[in-house]
Amino acid sequence: MRRNYPSSSRSIGLTLAVGFVFVLLAVIGGLGTAVMGQTATIILAALVLGFFGLFLPLTLFLPALLLVSFVLTGQMQYFARIDRALWLPFLVGALLMVRFPFDLMQRRLGHPEQASFAPASPAGVKVMLFVYFTTLLATSAINGIEPLQLLVSFKEYLFLWSLFLVISFGLLAPRHIERVWNLLPWLMLAQLPIVFYQRLIVVPSRAARGVGAEWDAVVGAFGGNPEGGGSSGAMGLFCVICIALVVARWRRGLLPGWQALVLGLSGFISIALAEIKFAVLLLPVALVALYFRQLTKKPLEGIFAILLAFIVSFSVLVAYKTQFALDGERQTVGEYFDSIVGSRSNEGDFVNYRTREMGRVAAIRFWWQQHGLDEPDKLLIGHGAGASRVGDLVVGDAARKWPFNIGRSTLAVMLWEVGLVGTVAFCSMLLFAFIRAFRFSGDERLSAQQQTLSASMAIAVLIVAAGIPYNTDVILSHQLQLMLMLSLGYLAMLNGQFSPRHALKPTQTAAPQTLPA
């Protein structure tokens, strides 16, 4: 049978067309950057990424999205001072959302035979996601949110969920998710030079000029402003998840001991130099979840691992006390721990009118004081997307009423914008996802690789949930959102193949099931 190959003239024409487009983009970008500055640079980058993204295979689109999110964006923001670079990962997610129905149609036309077990999210996850997004759309429509505010807010609420859709509809094979997930811990090692630069160069420079807090300058590759704050909290949560993944893979013999040691130390060093106390406190929690089954099967091994985690965390906190204590400040270790738990950020009435900062508890308490049964719609479904937002482009309707930032944490933002119904739905979704992933981590039908990823993704969901009352990273950090999307998508894959309704009878043997690549 003769194959129809494209003619050489057609290939040359396509090459010339592509070349002309890039030359045109270069000219527009050069002129625009000279006249408009970084705005034109971002527009150009978005155009180039969009052009490539439309034709890039999904198997390459996923690592490209992670490259933009975990590597490029943070450096553009931190070193090039391009704050609008934070839009790039969300715009790539929006592009994926646009091409998703076409990729889905192409897959179904090209592969009419479906896999034996198509991906399917657990019922509880699907119901809670439906309630959450229905509430978000309904409250935004009812409150008449302006288009610009809707666009700016939806970029964080919706755009990166396109990755979850692509995975949960089976457009990527499980092996692609497994490769990417297992690659993430190496980013801890890759960012170490940046962490050392920030701690040894940027921190002393800021201290000499009396600019900002020392610990807030260390953000790794996650981006920020050298003169101000950054995504240190997101970087810490990322390191906790990756350390748990490293330990899980080492336990199952999937990672050599020396690699586990190097990667684990990289994460510890990043957390320690950034003084992310919340991440240090979460490390034992992550390892307790990881070794929970060992407490019943091998109690001594489980207890030893948990005690070791607590000792390491205690040692890091003691090092913090020595490293970051203020001049002339003399505190015992017990007093230092009390200051962590009872810091002003956790007080129920803390408001700093100079910096517009509210305490975490104070923000929730204030929301409760401003809502009641006299306005049940605002209590139950909130004020709409972006209502609590304070930014250069948009200030939300609720936020502009008060001389302080009411969106202190993800929990506060959700309560203001999607109310009790949306907040409870989102948290319930995470709970259902954690329970299912944790069960899969001990399911003997799964391979060692699948069980390990299930365990680490269960911890990822747990850490994301723990970050909801801590700060706004869960809703604003594209890195944490991508890790959550990978976890929920992979859970849908496993649930479709190994859900209880597909459990094998004792006389049956499990045949390997594969999804289309």
Side-chain angles (χ1 to χ4, degrees):
M1 180 177 179
R2 184 181 177 186
R3 296 179 180 272
N4 295 321
Y5 293 103
S7 64
S8 58
S9 59
R10 181 180 178 184
S11 299
I12 293 173
L14 180 61
T15 303
L16 291 175
V18 172
F20 174 77
V21 170
F22 273 99
V23 169
L24 182 61
L25 287 175
V27 173
I28 294 174
L31 294 175
T33 302
V35 176
M36 299 166 53
Q38 65 173 239
T39 302
T41 305
I42 293 298
I43 293 174
L44 175 63
L47 288 172
V48 173
L49 287 173
F51 182 81
F52 272 111
L54 287 174
F55 304 101
L56 199 64
L58 285 177
T59 52
L60 297 178
F61 197 104
L62 175 58
L65 174 58
L66 295 177
L67 178 67
V68 169
S69 180
F70 284 92
V71 179
L72 297 181
T73 300
Q75 312 330 302
M76 291 176 65
Q77 184 189 15
Y78 193 87
F79 293 104
R81 309 294 180 92
I82 304 176
D83 293 334
R84 294 284 185 260
L86 287 174
W87 277 74
L88 286 179
F90 296 106
L91 291 176
V92 176
L95 178 64
L96 186 59
M97 186 80 74
V98 170
R99 60 175 287 177
F100 164 70
F102 300 101
D103 287 318
L104 184 62
M105 185 184 304
Q106 181 182 17
R107 169 55 52 85
R108 289 182 174 175
L109 292 176
H111 300 271
E113 69 288 350
Q114 296 296 314
S116 300
F117 298 108
S121 294
V125 172
K126 286 192 289 190
V127 171
M128 290 301 105
L129 281 178
F130 176 79
V131 174
Y132 172 68
F133 284 115
T134 300
T135 303
L136 174 65
L137 297 175
T139 185
S140 299
I142 291 172
N143 287 284
I145 302 301
E146 297 177 358
L148 180 59
Q149 179 176 325
L150 206 61
L151 171 64
V152 173
S153 301
F154 271 17
K155 87 176 192 296
E156 291 134 7
Y157 273 112
L158 290 178
F159 287 179
L160 290 180
W161 280 91
S162 57
L163 179 58
F164 167 74
L165 290 176
V166 166
I167 300 173
S168 63
F169 275 82
L171 299 184
L172 285 169
R175 65 178 180 275
H176 297 126
I177 312 304
E178 293 164 1
R179 287 174 189 165
V180 166
W181 190 258
N182 290 332
L183 183 65
L184 291 179
W186 292 96
L187 294 176
M188 295 191 297
L189 181 62
Q191 76 169 358
L192 265 188
I194 302 175
V195 170
F196 282 122
Y197 164 77
Q198 292 164 346
R199 185 67 187 94
L200 300 177
I201 305 297
V202 178
V203 168
S205 174
R206 286 176 51 160
R209 291 179 286 115
V211 178
E214 292 186 10
W215 53 268
D216 206 23
V218 181
V219 297
F222 278 60
N225 186 345
E227 304 299 325
S231 302
S232 58
M235 189 262 285
L237 298 185
F238 166 79
C239 288
V240 172
I241 296 170
C242 288
I243 289 172
L245 172 59
V246 167
V247 174
R249 298 194 70 210
W250 169 73
R251 282 179 58 207
R252 299 303 296 261
L254 300 175
L255 189 68
W258 69 271
Q259 290 185 16
L261 181 62
V262 169
L263 294 174
L265 285 177
S266 300
F268 276 119
I269 291 172
S270 297
I271 293 173
L273 293 182
E275 201 205 358
I276 310 170
K277 293 186 283 289
F278 185 61
V280 175
L281 296 175
L282 284 178
L283 272 174
V285 176
L287 293 181
V288 166
L290 192 61
Y291 278 88
F292 185 78
R293 284 192 174 86
Q294 299 297 106
L295 292 175
T296 55
K297 297 180 179 178
K298 298 178 181 179
L300 291 179
E301 181 181 337
I303 292 173
F304 174 77
I306 293 170
L307 286 177
L308 182 61
F310 276 102
I311 291 172
V312 171
S313 298
F314 180 84
S315 302
V316 172
L317 289 175
V318 172
Y320 281 170
K321 175 188 175 298
T322 304
Q323 179 182 2
F324 294 101
L326 299 176
D327 294 338
E329 186 179 272
R330 296 180 179 274
Q331 288 180 311
T332 65
V333 175
E335 289 172 343
Y336 180 72
F337 290 160
D338 289 339
S339 70
I340 294 175
V341 178
S343 67
R344 299 209 66 188
S345 294
N346 297 325
E347 293 179 1
D349 56 356
F350 172 68
V351 178
N352 188 328
Y353 288 94
R354 183 176 60 84
T355 63
R356 296 174 55 90
E357 180 186 2
M358 293 189 77
R360 297 183 183 93
V361 178
I364 306 304
R365 182 181 178 185
F366 180 75
W367 172 84
W368 179 252
Q369 291 172 344
Q370 299 301 315
H371 295 82
L373 296 179
D374 55 326
E375 289 184 308
D377 56 328
K378 298 294 190 292
L379 174 69
L380 295 177
I381 64 173
H383 299 253
S388 65
R389 189 182 194 90
V390 177
D392 297 336
L393 294 176
V394 170
V395 177
D397 294 336
R400 67 169 59 105
K401 296 179 182 178
W402 315 104
F404 41 79
N405 184 11
I406 59 176
R408 176 62 176 83
S409 63
T410 298
L411 179 58
V413 170
M414 285 188 170
L415 287 172
W416 278 99
E417 299 187 4
V418 294
L420 282 174
V421 173
T423 304
V424 171
F426 186 82
C427 295
S428 300
M429 179 272 296
L430 293 180
L431 176 61
F432 285 124
F434 169 77
I435 293 173
R436 197 77 187 109
F438 185 76
R439 288 177 178 172
F440 277 137
S441 67
D443 194 327
E444 297 298 330
R445 295 174 296 167
L446 276 66
S447 67
Q449 172 82 293
Q450 292 170 325
Q451 289 183 25
T452 299
L453 262 70
S454 298
S456 60
M457 289 177 172
I459 292 172
V461 173
L462 178 64
I463 297 303
V464 168
I468 289 177
Y470 176 63
N471 61 18
T472 56
D473 284 335
V474 173
I475 200 169
L476 297 182
S477 170
H478 45 89
Q479 295 97 338
L480 290 183
Q481 283 199 32
L482 286 176
M483 296 187 81
L484 180 61
M485 297 306 107
L486 289 171
S487 301
L488 296 177
Y490 192 74
L491 174 61
M493 286 182 168
L494 294 181
N495 191 67
Q497 184 174 352
F498 299 104
S499 61
R501 67 178 180 275
H502 295 139
L504 298 176
K505 297 178 181 180
T507 56
Q508 290 179 305
T509 57
Q513 303 291 339
T514 58
L515 297 173

